[in-house]
Amino acid sequence: MSENPPAPVPERPRRGRGRPPATDRRRQIEDAALEEFAEHGFRNSSLAAVAQRVGLSQQGLLHHFPNKEALLVAVLARRDAVDTADFGGLRDIDRLTGLAERNTERPGVVRLHALLTAEAVTDDHPAGPFFRARYEELRTRVAEAVRESEHEEAPAPQPTPEETAALLVAAMDGLQLQWLHDPEAVDMPALLGLLTRVLYAHRGGAEQG
Amino acid sequence: MSENPPAPVPERPRRGRGRPPATDRRRQIEDAALEEFAEHGFRNSSLAAVAQRVGLSQQGLLHHFPNKEALLVAVLARRDAVDTADFGGLRDIDRLTGLAERNTERPGVVRLHALLTAEAVTDDHPAGPFFRARYEELRTRVAEAVRESEHEEAPAPQPTPEETAALLVAAMDGLQLQWLHDPEAVDMPALLGLLTRVLYAHRGGAEQG
DNA sequence: CATTTTTCCGAGTGCTCAGTAGGTAAATTG
DNA sequence: CAATTTACCTACTGAGCACTCGGAAAAATG
């Protein structure tokens, strides 16, 4: 079911003598592309704009990536790797709140995520499978984390781990949208923490705020 | 603070004798535009594509709307009017669940909302102010609804109406994204209903399912 | 220095797009 | 029927886009 995104290019080896490939450039370009895509979306970003950010011509950029789609895939793959690392073991469900907190400081990544998630819903978008798989995996992992943290008390009509996971993930994305539109209006980490506690901790009335 | 979107064209009056303006066409075009924008987003939709849906040439369409942006504003204004009506008095907070249920049957509108909400985050997007105002109003109204439904019992560490509102709205949008990516994966109305109950009804253990 | 490989660019192609200009046909009124 | 106003189209402009082609400079090896 869950088709993973392709590996992020397995370090192409030196082939003969000539000039060595500049691996830095690829990363520079990916970083620039992330910023650009985050600001204008994928379809509405131009290769030329990305190229300009790294002091390249559009054609110079196309030397490193065969086409625009390949660039997007590379960006997503790298972003996913970083986020997975950020996510860590996720033994504790409260890590989600920590992630929200960190995201507060990098609107670019948040924007990229929000924009592409929505954009990728349309037909035949190159990032479509990526995000479908990502959501599936996220729900699964969060559900697992919930299950592991579940040893607490659970006396009342309790949502299942799967339901909890779907709702937490949803709240995360939804809060990001509100926050992007008006950073002052919502406190992402606080709200997510609150939701986490309320959702699966019908504890008898302790631990508030 | 809350700047409302401009009124949806105040029914331009007959001016002299000539041919009467075809108000039907405007609505036809708006409907077509909604579908088109919902599928491809605003910036990535073409006027020609919208025009084709109603059997017009691109220029024929531009006779009715001075430019693309005006068309978007018209679509949003109409959509907002309809949604506000749907939303009704919202005396009961459970109406939100009902709205989620209805949305299940009109992916087009959901797509438009999700796509434009994200797209409008970018700089100088014509729909930016619209969505910022909309979120603000939504949070306020939902918070009010929560407050009115609050008479129940509330013994435990309870989220405030404002927090509840922000989280409900967030979950709604986040669930929509997940649902758009994989309709089988999440049950929007069920999850939203569950969240509603959990969020402000730490009732002693009654009323489940 | 000759060779090879990588890096990058100038020029160009073919496409799509929003918006303009100018004109014709249709519907309504007097 | 004449005047008027709307509806709509053909033709066009100018811009931006992804992507190709062919070549030149740079950096390494021998």
Side-chain angles (χ1 to χ4, degrees), chain A residues 27-93:
Chain A
R27 299 214 164 150
Q28 280 180 38
I29 295 172
E30 286 167 12
D31 288 342
L34 185 144
E35 291 173 21
E36 189 66 23
F37 293 167
E39 269 187 43
H40 307 297
F42 172 66
R43 295 218 154 109
N44 207 56
S45 288
S46 70
L47 288 178
V50 176
Q52 204 180 13
R53 281 180 189 256
V54 289
L56 273 181
S57 74
Q58 184 201 121
Q59 299 80 351
L61 189 154
L62 279 172
H63 168 71
H64 296 274
F65 297 88
N67 53 44
K68 200 183 172 187
E69 187 176 323
L71 178 56
L72 173 64
V73 170
V75 169
L76 288 177
R78 259 216 26 223
R79 209 55 248 171
D80 197 52
V82 172
D83 277 0
T84 300
D86 279 10
F87 218 52
L90 189 74
R91 237 163 306 169
D92 195 341
I93 189 64

